[in-house]
Amino acid sequence: IKAAREASSHAYVPYSNFPVGAALVTTDGKVYQGCNIENASFGLSNCAERTAIFKAVSEDHLEFSSLYIYGETAAPISPCGACRQVVSEFCNADMPVYLLSKTGEVKETSVGQLLPYSFKELE
């Protein structure tokens, strides 16, 4: 939780002013932090969850145990559709995902609950 909150402080959000942080934990306990990074061409922006996953994968880590997503919001936030698909690609359906708010509220879910009937399940 602390790593996800800390990651949000590095967000580059000059357009939305909506910082998000993520912390992806590997099965061997390594933590990869990610933040959202905006661009004036919004389609070229990248979310915190994908940043954390891409960092981990680029360093050859492919086995994950949990994901924490923090937003400066009153209630826990949920990943966008693109992030749900990327999370589904690299994480098992039963892996826990913790949605976090600035008030300390935590909602636990799983990859499979966030994206039922994913492309990966069709293999």
Side-chain angles (χ1 to χ4, degrees), residues 7 9 11 16 25 30 33 36 47 61 74-75 80 90 92 108 112 120:
S9 70
S16 71
V25 183
K30 185 167 174 70
Q33 292 175 295
N36 52 328
C47 298
H61 282 93
C80 73
F90 292 102
N92 294 327
E108 182 177 352
K120 194 173 178 183

Side-chain angles (χ1 to χ4, degrees), residues 2 7 9-10 22 32 34 40 53 80 87 94 101 110 117 123:
K2 182 179 176 185
S9 70
H10 302 292
Y32 285 91
I53 291 169
C80 73
V87 169
D94 62 346
S101 73
S110 70
Y117 311 111
E123 295 176 346

Side-chain angles (χ1 to χ4, degrees), residues 21-89:
L24 178 66
V25 183
T26 66
T27 55
D28 63 359
K30 185 167 174 70
V31 176
Y32 285 91
Q33 292 175 295
C35 62
N36 52 328
I37 303 167
E38 294 179 346
N39 188 284
S41 174
F42 291 122
L44 299 178
S45 297
N46 201 52
C47 298
E49 302 91 310
R50 286 183 282 148
T51 299
I53 291 169
F54 295 160
K55 285 171 67 175
V57 171
S58 73
E59 293 186 22
D60 240 3
H61 282 93
L62 295 171
E63 295 181 12
F64 307 107
S65 62
S66 57
L67 175 63
Y68 297 79
I69 305 166
Y70 172 82
E72 282 286 318
T73 52
I77 61 170
S78 187
C80 73
C83 286
R84 290 173 191 229
Q85 188 59 53
V86 171
V87 169
S88 172
E89 179 70 24

Side-chain angles (χ1 to χ4, degrees), residues 105-123:
E105 185 179 348
V106 178
K107 178 174 176 67
E108 182 177 352
T109 187
S110 70
V111 172
Q113 288 172 317
L114 288 171
L115 187 63
Y117 311 111
S118 70
F119 292 140
K120 194 173 178 183
E121 289 181 23
L122 301 174
E123 295 176 346

